[in-house]
Amino acid sequence: GEPNRLPMGPQPALTDLTERILMGNFVVLEVAPGVFAHYAHLQPGSLTVKAGDRVRRGTVLGRLGQSGQAQLPHLHFQVSNAITFEESEGLPFVFQEYTRLGSATLLDVLGQAEKVLATPVSAKPCQQELPLDSDVIMFR
């Protein structure tokens, strides 16, 4: 139920931050015993799962948004050792498979009303890797 914020708009005061206000609308999945995948800043009203649901690969969890402490629409994704954001430690992970399409910096996309094209490279299939900053990627 957290609203989307205005792009580059004012953010809540640091003294007002709770997990709900910080992460906005979020889903946390236990993907293995003691391993949790967190998806945050989702659009209000877009969540398609609820507590206790079992999900499979490819299940849509919600839509990317700008709820919580977010200057711009984005997905905050992390893998950790606890169900809560603030009491967890991040765990290393890689994506099984994705395609690297190119790169675009934050300055390339800020304030753009139209679709931003990545700096072209030959599409590069990647396996068991984590994308780098500014990588534009596509999942299947």
Side-chain angles (χ1 to χ4, degrees), residues 8-104:
M8 302 304 288
Q11 297 297 304
L14 292 178
T15 55
D16 295 336
L17 292 181
T18 62
E19 181 175 56
R20 174 72 58 193
I21 291 173
L22 183 63
M23 296 302 176
N25 305 304
F26 62 88
V27 172
V28 179
L29 302 178
E30 185 171 21
V31 296
V35 179
F36 300 87
H38 305 253
Y39 304 80
H41 304 302
L42 302 173
Q43 284 183 17
S46 74
L47 301 184
T48 62
V49 295
K50 62 186 180 317
D53 283 356
R54 293 182 67 84
V55 300
R56 295 181 184 272
R57 182 181 305 190
T59 299
V60 173
L61 305 174
R63 295 182 56 89
L64 183 136
Q66 190 178 335
S67 62
Q69 181 86 7
Q71 289 286 325
L72 298 164
H74 72 282
L75 174 67
H76 178 113
F77 176 77
Q78 71 184 47
V79 177
S80 77
N81 65 351
I83 197 166
T84 60
F85 289 96
E86 66 277 336
E87 296 173 5
S88 66
E89 292 291 327
L91 299 174
F93 68 93
V94 295
F95 291 114
Q96 183 176 351
E97 183 179 7
Y98 65 90
T99 301
R100 183 176 187 275
L101 301 176
S103 65

